[in-house]
Amino acid sequence: MVELKTNESIDAMREAGRVVAQALTAVREAAGVGVSLLELDEIAHAVLREAGASSPFLGYHPHFAPVPFPAVLCASVNDAIVHGVPTSYRLRDGDLLSADFGAHLGGWAGDSAISFTVGTPRPEDVRLIETAERALEAGISAAVVGNRIGDIAHAIGTVCRKAGYGIPEDFGGHGIGRSMHEDPGVPNEGRPGRGMPLRHGMVIAIEPMVIAGGGDGYHAAPDGWTLRTDDGSRAAHAEHTVAITEEGPRILTAL
Ligand code: MG
Ligand code: MG
């Protein structure tokens, strides 16, 4: 069931979203060559504590996972697409990091992700990341009253496929509110004009993921969480929490 949020609730979600943006900004600023993923997780955790917020990721235990998620940050490096578990791995020159983060504040959740390179970027990684960001922008632009979920999915998928990239099957965006994951699902590929009509007060996380090699396949790493591309190519991920309003889409996870 889709819960429509009041304008007051959307304003409250904006505050949770701001904490998410602050944490991701801190992670990006700290993520240099030689910095470990666990250190980045600690930096993100400090932002949560400072804001009086809590983590919807820490201890999250969906049916597909063998153990609860052990961190507040998902840190996915190179061929890891999403759900990367922070480890003692130290970032190397040229790595591509996708950082996904959530916060609970005042009873509301925010969820956002960024991808960026560390040290000297490879041109192909810059293009990959820019495509994920363009797909996110296209999805947000389609998140307007009168459209349907399929219009968002189609907008995202078109950008990713035109660039020649793969789209991981069965993973995409979601409704968000008091819980991090609510109805409806927001696929990263689909047919325009299909699916649930978009209404004022729907809040969704839009999150395109792209695979450089062009295939859609992925598998879980031995930790049971980190999803890696089947072809070993790199992946990028971009995400915002967005409120659909009569005045147009409102991004809740910007700074
Ligand atoms: Mg996320
Ligand atoms: Mg999400």
Side-chain angles (χ1 to χ4, degrees):
M1 204 190 78
V2 175
E3 185 206 330
L4 298 177
K5 279 77 178 179
T6 64
N7 292 340
E8 291 72 23
S9 297
I10 292 170
D11 286 343
M13 290 189 74
R14 172 72 181 109
E15 297 313 310
R18 203 186 310 276
V19 175
V20 176
Q22 288 164 349
L24 286 174
T25 300
V27 165
R28 184 174 195 148
E29 283 173 359
V33 173
V35 174
S36 79
L37 303 180
L38 280 171
E39 287 164 357
L40 296 179
D41 183 66
E42 182 45 45
I43 286 164
H45 212 154
V47 173
L48 278 184
R49 280 191 292 261
E50 179 79 12
S54 60
S55 173
F57 289 16
L58 183 65
Y60 184 54
H61 197 179
H63 63 89
F64 60 79
V67 293
F69 196 76
V72 301
L73 179 74
C74 291
S76 306
V77 179
N78 296 340
D79 66 323
I81 309 167
V82 288
H83 301 170
V85 176
T87 64
S88 58
Y89 175 83
R90 292 190 179 280
L91 292 166
R92 298 174 188 174
D93 190 49
D95 275 350
L96 191 173
L97 176 65
S98 296
D100 191 346
F101 188 77
H104 258 137
L105 181 71
W108 297 100
D111 186 12
S112 178
I114 57 173
S115 294
F116 55 90
T117 54
V118 176
T120 315
R122 309 191 316 177
E124 59 267 42
D125 290 342
V126 173
R127 180 174 172 266
L128 187 69
I129 292 165
E130 284 176 353
T131 301
E133 292 171 348
R134 270 196 300 118
L136 175 57
E137 285 168 20
I140 293 170
S141 295
V144 294
V145 174
N147 268 357
R148 290 174 178 262
I149 288 289
D151 294 302
I152 299 174
H154 180 71
I156 293 169
T158 300
V159 170
C160 301
R161 293 296 185 196
K162 265 191 181 161
Y165 296 138
I167 300 172
E169 298 159 334
D170 306 323
F171 273 95
H174 47 88
I176 179 169
R178 295 202 174 271
S179 304
M180 182 170 57
H181 292 125
E182 297 185 352
D183 289 335
V186 186
N188 285 332
E189 197 163 31
R191 295 171 67 182
R194 300 297 181 95
M196 185 179 292
L198 305 182
R199 295 172 62 191
H200 179 92
M202 285 175 69
V203 182
I204 55 175
I206 302 176
E207 49 179 313
M209 305 156 205
V210 283
I211 298 175
D216 299 347
Y218 58 87
H219 59 276
D223 65 25
W225 271 103
T226 309
L227 296 181
R228 298 192 180 282
T229 62
D230 277 349
D231 62 10
S233 70
R234 293 187 172 189
H237 178 209
E239 177 180 25
H240 268 309
T241 296
V242 178
I244 296 164
T245 79
E246 296 288 359
E247 295 76 40
R250 182 177 172 198
I251 299 173
L252 303 181
T253 41
L255 269 181

